[in-house]
């Protein structure tokens, strides 16, 4: 029996076991398999493990997407988590090449995936508060938001959660160094039903520009002298 003789339900089931590249390769073999590849039911879950994967055409974004994970841990990508004012020219050049990769992708999700239920971001150093705010506004059914080592996330994201995270049940902001204890307490006060976790976040040293750091150092020296 040839694979194309299977009904659509069976083909969808078979495709579900394949990774994105394998699905795309199989879809190129005939029109019937291409139609299966383009079926929204096949794309309710997406996982990405490198910035380059977001730019490929081996997946579809649409209203069927419910679970999205964008996580990477390579040593090279950790450069993006360094404060901008501390980066050398090589590091800045590297970051510029994919600075907007995740943010642009998430904007597409905002526009095309209103039924998203779960979002996990890890190591995404260029994702901003504004991006998460738009996502909360455009994906009102979002129940789980997990952010890990997203260094540009601040208390503004926590404020957005209190305003627009009406469906949110789980919020993780682990190792987000610009989150404060006051911001976390506000979420607990305004959204007591949300399961909140912020491992290390409020205890980490936040980003400071050189002039601000100098002022802090001077203040510390004065205190010591007193």
């Amino acid at each position: 029996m040839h694979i194309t003789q299977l009904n659509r339900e069976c083909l969808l089931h078979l495709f579900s076991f394949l990774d994105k590249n394998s699905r795309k390769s199989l879809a190129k073999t005939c029109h019937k398999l291409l139609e299966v590849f383009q079926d929204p039911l096949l794309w309710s879950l997406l996982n990405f493990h490198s910035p380059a994967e977001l730019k490929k055409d081996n997946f579809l974004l649409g209203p069927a997407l419910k679970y999205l994970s964008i996580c990477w841990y390579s040593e090279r990508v950790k450069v993006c988590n360094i404060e901008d004012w501390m980066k050398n020219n090589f590091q800045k050049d590297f970051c510029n090449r994919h600075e907007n990769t995740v943010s642009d992708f998430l904007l597409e999700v905002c526009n095309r995936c209103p039924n998203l239920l779960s979002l996990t971001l890890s190591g995404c150093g260029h994702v901003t508060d504004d991006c998460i705010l738009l996502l909360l506004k455009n994906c009102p059914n979002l129940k789980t938001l997990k952010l890990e080592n997203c260094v540009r996330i601040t208390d503004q994201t926590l404020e957005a959660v209190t305003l627009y995270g009406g469906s949110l049940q789980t919020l993780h902001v682990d190792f987000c160094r610009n989150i404060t204890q006051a911001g976390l307490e506000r979420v607990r006060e305004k959204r007591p039903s949300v399961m909140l976790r912020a491992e290390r976040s409020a205890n980490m040293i936040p980003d400071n520009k050189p002039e601000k750091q100098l002022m802090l150092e001077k203040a510390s020296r004065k205190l010591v002298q007193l």
Side-chain angles (χ1 to χ4, degrees), residues 6 8 16 35 37 61 73 79 82 86 88 107 111 125 137 147-148 152 169 200 215:
L6 297 172
R8 194 176 188 86
S16 69
E35 290 177 358
F37 175 84
L61 287 180
Y73 306 96
V79 171
I82 301 173
M86 291 183 64
N88 57 39
L107 289 178
N111 294 327
K137 285 184 175 181
L147 307 174
E148 180 185 34
R152 294 196 177 184
Q169 298 175 355
R200 296 285 301 278
M215 291 175 63

Side-chain angles (χ1 to χ4, degrees), residues 60-159:
L60 294 181
L61 287 180
L65 182 63
K66 301 291 182 63
Y67 307 94
L68 173 62
S69 173
I70 305 174
C71 303
W72 53 74
Y73 306 96
S74 75
E75 291 298 325
R76 294 182 68 198
V77 175
K78 288 181 181 178
V79 171
C80 299
N81 293 328
I82 301 173
E83 296 95 317
D84 290 338
W85 59 270
M86 291 183 64
K87 294 174 183 173
N88 57 39
N89 289 333
F90 172 79
Q91 292 169 329
K92 289 178 180 178
D93 179 65
F94 174 81
C95 291
N96 287 337
R97 276 179 277 163
H98 69 275
E99 180 172 357
N100 297 318
T101 300
V102 180
S103 294
D104 290 346
F105 180 83
L106 289 178
L107 289 178
E108 287 294 312
V109 171
C110 289
N111 294 327
R112 299 163 63 178
C113 310
N115 300 313
L116 190 68
L117 297 178
S118 175
L119 173 65
T120 298
L121 301 176
S122 182
C124 302
H126 294 298
V127 173
T128 64
D129 294 315
D130 290 341
C131 193
I132 300 300
L133 170 62
L134 283 175
L135 191 133
L136 288 168
K137 285 184 175 181
N138 288 278
C139 303
N141 300 318
L142 192 69
K143 298 182 182 300
T144 300
L145 177 60
K146 296 182 178 180
L147 307 174
E148 180 185 34
N149 201 22
C150 296
V151 296
R152 294 196 177 184
I153 295 301
T154 71
D155 287 358
Q156 292 183 38
T157 285
L158 301 182
E159 182 66 20

Side-chain angles (χ1 to χ4, degrees), residues 33-75:
L33 296 181
L34 177 60
E35 290 177 358
V36 175
F37 175 84
Q38 295 172 337
D39 193 318
L41 294 177
L42 189 62
W43 303 102
S44 62
L45 181 150
L46 282 172
N47 294 314
F48 298 94
H49 304 287
S50 76
E53 290 184 25
L54 300 177
K55 296 183 178 181
K56 293 184 177 181
D57 63 346
N58 58 0
F59 61 89
L60 294 181
L61 287 180
L65 182 63
K66 301 291 182 63
Y67 307 94
L68 173 62
S69 173
I70 305 174
C71 303
W72 53 74
Y73 306 96
S74 75
E75 291 298 325

